[in-house]
Amino acid sequence: MTRAPADADADAHDPRFARTASGLLGEFNAAGVLTTADVHVANRLGRLGAEPDERVLLAVALTVRAIRHGSVCIDLDAISHTVLGESDELIDVSALAWPDPAAWRAACACSPLVGTGRDAGSAPLRMPGRLLYLDRYWRQEEQVRTQLRDRAAAAPPAVDLDRLRAGLDRLFPGDPAGAATGTDRQRLAAAVAALRRVTVLAGGPGTGKTTTVARLLALLRDQPGPPPRIALAAPTGKAAARLAEAVAEHTAELPEPDRAGLGPLPASTLHRLLGRRPGSTSRFAHDRYHRLPHDVIVVDETSMVSLTLMARLLEAVRPDARLVLVGDPDQLASVEAGAVLGDLARADGQPEPWLDERLRALGALGPADPPVVHGVVTLDRTWRFGGAIAALARAVQAGDADAALTHLRAGHPELMFVETDDLDSRDPAGLESVRADVVAATGALSVAARDGAVADALAALERHRLLCGHRRGPYGVSRWSAEVERWLADAGAGSAADDEWYPGRPLLVTANDYDLGLFNGDTGVVVRENGAVRAAFTREGRPLRVPTSRLSAVQTVHAMTVHRSQGSQFSRVTVVLPPAESPLLTRELLYTAVTRAREVVRVVGSEQAVRTAVGRSVSRASGLRERLGH
């Protein structure tokens, strides 16, 4: 609902309201669309640029706001239909006094605050067409576009085609020109990575992305010449550690000569790869003047890479190096502005005739297969979880709410639907199966931790995970963590009130600790082993034991947000959906949550919440997809 402007008079010190705001800025601030900071920035720029038009100032404030919500720009024609409120509840924006789009664009184009050409001088905003950017983000988007264009137009890497064909046959066996099976798409991705400077390897969880990465690295290592210098990276420390472990696991499956040629391949965060620049939080040691030394750079979980970080990466990669971007464009995007992987994976474009010819000659592309555009190859066969989970994930991806609900209600053992709209009550009904899973998993965890069976305790930690869309409130992590504590206490499996480091306590790392090799988002468990209490985490398939005295940034984890679960997998997952009114309830949130499970997914919420989630895709305004298509 819309918050009345009169509410601003209720408390003159309420930080949500700018006391000096008037006109359109005051109306949109009172309605909950703009924050105080948005208003102040717009007013300040208006004074500096001598811009009195309140329509332009509203556009400036909305552009500042957009960055906070993940968009790099605003579409003046569509924003009145896509904007959401700042709080956890949707607000009715239809009653607000939105300017006429055509007149709004004209006012902005004439404003001294807005530059419209490529050389816009010192104007703080840019407006190519109907999109309005802060100048910094326009430059970053243009940098990404031109870097990708220039790398595609440059001479392709030199390869020995006969040796490449032999390597493809050895490392990707199967029918090279057959139907679109998982193996054939993997072969295609590897061939594209060998032939092209930039490759996008897209696909959902369990589609064999990391298997493909390990084998394509062996393929590149097999080419004549000095062995390529390889870097593995990811946006977070947790994702980097998982990447290194997964690549090592799949490398061990390679033939002996290929395995020996690759050797150990560590991974790092993108920030560590680019290097810290003292005194700067936005620039790195490696840039266009000091390029990275690597010949091949693989970036995993690229969906979490923001526009800013992608621009910094592209300028630091040598023009003759190969860049392989790996990720799932349907997952939740970066918490910062931009959705670069999604833009790349979905952009229109023209095929490259030379690439198409070579791929078909190598048997990586069948006669009837469509050509590769922008170097994007999507793996579409799921190997990790069962058919029912995959079917639900596909229905969510397709935006088919009826099919998603049909799958949830079909009674398949892999899918459960606890249909309720009573989750904000003190003791919600119908949660017996959730309680049973939580108590059983925690019981197995506690027994193994007390007995010193570290490997069993770590396995039990991944048995079940409760995922929430919110951090706070009746549908958030805080409330459901307390709910789990109550269930455990009722079952006699709760923690000792006076013992912080009790065996069986599940841990969540909340900050990177490079000395210990622990990263934000890692999970572990407190165990008692040989009379000593330690924390145990999984590293490269083996337990990593850490004295509890060395842990500082950890908390108990009975539930976590869907965002934090990205990159993780659990045997069973319970997803607590917020009500349909929550702007956080989106297709990407539900898809990400569902695909965290290997064996069983349980969705807790109302039918309307499911329908809303499946029908509402994350709206991130960007011009990159359209500009790549041109």
Side-chain angles (χ1 to χ4, degrees):
M1 64 181 186
T2 303
R3 186 168 42 196
D7 288 349
D9 299 329
D11 182 358
H13 302 287
D14 192 326
R16 295 174 298 170
F17 306 107
R19 288 186 295 164
T20 58
S22 60
L24 287 175
L25 289 178
E27 179 182 353
F28 278 68
N29 177 221
V33 174
L34 299 176
T35 65
T36 304
D38 301 330
V39 173
H40 289 326
V41 170
N43 278 329
R44 182 61 173 167
L45 287 177
R47 288 194 295 271
L48 290 173
E51 175 54 79
D53 192 326
E54 64 175 354
R55 296 171 300 174
V56 176
L57 299 184
L58 174 62
V60 172
L62 289 170
T63 306
V64 173
R65 173 196 183 279
I67 303 301
R68 190 170 58 256
H69 287 261
S71 294
V72 298
C73 59
I74 62 170
D75 184 337
L76 294 175
D77 288 352
I79 190 169
S80 63
H81 308 295
T82 58
V83 72
L84 302 174
E86 288 288 329
S87 67
D88 286 346
E89 293 184 0
L90 290 174
I91 62 173
D92 179 12
V93 299
S94 61
L96 296 174
W98 292 96
D100 173 72
W104 204 5
R105 289 197 310 272
C108 290
C110 297
S111 172
L113 298 179
V114 180
T116 55
R118 295 185 64 85
D119 184 13
S122 58
L125 290 95
R126 294 284 188 111
M127 195 178 74
R130 69 185 188 281
L131 302 180
L132 184 65
Y133 295 77
L134 294 178
D135 180 71
R136 169 186 173 185
Y137 291 92
W138 182 88
R139 291 179 182 274
Q140 289 174 359
E141 189 174 281
E142 180 68 4
Q143 181 181 352
V144 169
R145 184 191 69 83
T146 55
Q147 285 277 352
L148 293 173
R149 179 202 63 191
D150 293 346
R151 290 171 192 273
V159 294
D160 183 325
L161 289 178
D162 291 334
R163 196 158 176 174
L164 179 59
R165 183 183 294 105
L168 288 168
D169 291 340
R170 181 179 71 257
L171 295 165
F172 298 90
D175 179 7
T181 63
T183 301
D184 293 333
R185 300 296 293 178
Q186 293 171 357
R187 178 188 177 101
L188 174 60
V192 172
L195 297 171
R196 207 173 183 275
R197 299 291 182 192
V198 179
T199 304
V200 178
L201 178 56
T207 52
K209 296 191 297 293
T210 315
T211 302
T212 306
V213 166
R215 292 178 179 270
L216 75 83
L217 292 177
L219 190 72
L220 297 177
R221 176 65 178 81
D222 186 55
Q223 284 289 301
R229 291 164 291 185
I230 298 171
L232 304 180
T236 67
K238 174 186 174 183
R242 300 292 183 272
L243 174 63
E245 292 171 7
V247 169
E249 176 185 344
H250 294 300
T251 300
E253 302 168 354
L254 296 175
E256 173 57 32
D258 295 303
R259 185 168 65 248
L262 280 179
L265 292 171
S268 70
T269 65
L270 281 172
H271 287 81
R272 294 198 89 187
L273 176 70
L274 294 171
R276 178 176 176 271
R277 178 183 287 186
S280 175
T281 59
S282 60
R283 305 296 301 188
F284 298 95
H286 289 285
D287 54 20
R288 71 189 66 187
Y289 306 109
H290 181 208
R291 307 274 190 170
L292 290 163
H294 307 94
D295 303 299
V296 181
I297 299 174
V298 178
V299 180
D300 196 17
E301 297 290 354
T302 310
S303 63
M304 293 192 286
V305 178
S306 66
L307 175 67
T308 299
L309 190 54
M310 183 62 72
R312 300 290 179 260
L313 173 66
L314 285 171
E315 73 174 2
V317 176
R318 295 197 338 260
D320 60 338
R322 290 180 174 91
L323 177 63
V324 181
L325 303 175
V326 185
D328 185 351
D330 293 309
Q331 282 192 23
L332 288 165
S334 166
V335 295
E336 299 178 42
V340 179
L341 181 66
D343 288 337
L344 276 171
R346 300 184 179 103
D348 294 329
Q350 296 298 318
E352 300 162 280
W354 69 269
L355 178 64
D356 183 78
E357 179 182 346
R358 289 192 179 184
L359 290 173
R360 296 188 192 281
L362 290 168
L365 201 63
D369 292 333
V372 173
V373 176
H374 297 309
V376 178
V377 180
T378 302
L379 306 184
D380 51 13
R381 180 173 178 180
T382 302
W383 303 86
R384 182 176 297 165
F385 40 67
I389 298 177
L392 174 60
R394 285 193 296 269
V396 174
Q397 280 178 300
D400 191 339
D402 288 336
L405 286 164
T406 298
H407 290 307
L408 285 171
R409 290 168 170 161
H412 197 285
E414 293 178 7
L415 298 177
M416 303 180 190
F417 186 24
V418 180
E419 196 167 351
T420 177
D421 55 5
D422 187 36
L423 291 179
D424 56 353
S425 67
R426 176 67 181 86
D427 193 9
L431 299 185
E432 293 78 10
S433 63
V434 182
R435 182 197 296 254
D437 261 3
V438 168
V439 172
T442 304
L445 177 69
S446 299
V447 170
R450 288 194 299 267
D451 292 347
V454 179
D456 292 343
L458 290 169
L461 185 67
E462 308 300 309
R463 179 173 167 178
H464 177 266
R465 187 55 49 88
L466 188 62
L467 302 180
C468 303
H470 292 189
R471 288 189 178 90
R472 295 172 295 276
Y475 307 92
V477 169
S478 300
R479 179 265 172 96
W480 286 93
S481 293
E483 199 77 43
V484 170
E485 290 281 6
R486 184 166 65 88
W487 291 343
L488 296 176
D490 292 344
S495 62
D498 58 348
D499 186 3
E500 178 184 8
W501 302 108
Y502 60 91
R505 179 190 175 192
L507 301 174
L508 174 69
V509 178
T510 58
N512 293 339
D513 188 327
Y514 293 102
D515 292 333
L516 295 178
L518 298 178
F519 304 102
N520 186 6
D522 279 343
T523 55
V525 58
V526 177
V527 298
R528 180 183 291 118
E529 192 177 26
N530 300 322
V533 173
R534 299 182 179 88
F537 301 84
T538 300
R539 277 293 174 271
E540 298 181 3
R542 298 186 299 273
L544 169 67
R545 297 166 174 83
V546 179
T548 57
S549 59
R550 298 193 62 188
L551 296 175
S552 55
V554 295
Q555 64 187 41
T556 303
V557 56
H558 292 304
M560 64 169 47
T561 61
V562 178
H563 278 83
R564 196 181 281 275
S565 73
Q566 284 184 273
S568 299
Q569 288 288 317
F570 311 98
S571 297
R572 304 168 72 89
V573 162
T574 296
V575 186
V576 177
L577 294 182
E581 293 76 23
S582 169
L584 298 180
L585 188 59
T586 63
R587 183 181 307 162
E588 289 78 5
L589 182 100
L590 181 55
Y591 170 81
T592 303
V594 164
T595 54
R596 297 311 92 202
R598 289 188 295 265
E599 299 173 6
V600 175
V601 170
R602 180 190 294 106
V603 175
V604 180
S606 66
E607 174 183 336
Q608 188 55 46
V610 174
R611 289 190 177 279
T612 300
V614 175
R616 182 197 295 154
S617 183
V618 170
S619 178
R620 289 201 166 192
S622 163
L624 182 60
R625 186 186 310 183
E626 182 177 343
R627 293 162 80 184
L628 286 172
H630 293 165

